[in-house]
Amino acid sequence: GRLGGGGGGRAASSPPRGEEKDAQKLLKIAERVTEACSESKLDADPSTCQRLCRPRLCCFDEGDEAEYSCKDDEEKQCAVYAGCQALVEGVPLGDEAEDEE
């Protein structure tokens, strides 16, 4: 009996090199975003989180302004920037400030 008959010697399960690199890069970005946007970091210095998240704020566009949302745009990798949610929820960006009484 032949054990594990040929197949060109390529492991079908591993993605092409490029994709693997991309995945690792995205993971690194996600980690940086999560760290930069953690509550303690936001309190101390929100600028890093803001800088990382600004290009992806469209991922969090909801409600009235949702026409600008890019949540479903694969190229924007919104899932990677999930950590930005803290910034969106916790820090008023300009004129969105709501007075809490």
Side-chain angles (χ1 to χ4, degrees):
R2 287 200 332 256
L3 287 174
R10 258 192 11 235
S13 61
S14 73
R17 269 257 169 280
E19 277 180 40
E20 211 167 280
K21 261 211 190 78
D22 282 355
Q24 291 204 310
K25 201 171 84 183
L26 292 175
L27 195 64
K28 279 227 164 40
I29 295 172
E31 285 172 359
R32 271 174 55 201
V33 168
T34 304
E35 190 176 324
C37 301
S38 67
E39 208 171 316
S40 55
K41 281 275 197 327
L42 278 178
D43 286 346
D45 177 20
S47 63
T48 307
C49 177
Q50 288 168 338
R51 197 176 65 240
L52 288 169
C53 292
R54 188 166 287 129
R56 293 296 184 269
L57 288 179
C58 58
C59 292
F60 304 96
D61 242 345
E62 284 163 17
D64 300 339
E65 309 288 314
E67 70 214 64
Y68 300 113
S69 175
C70 61
K71 197 161 48 192
D72 301 323
D73 184 343
E74 303 252 314
E75 288 190 11
K76 292 280 194 253
Q77 305 287 0
C78 287
V80 174
Y81 292 86
C84 296
Q85 188 74 40
L87 179 70
V88 177
E89 287 176 354
V91 180
L93 296 170
D95 56 1
E96 300 253 314
E98 288 170 25
D99 295 329
E100 289 180 24
E101 309 223 358

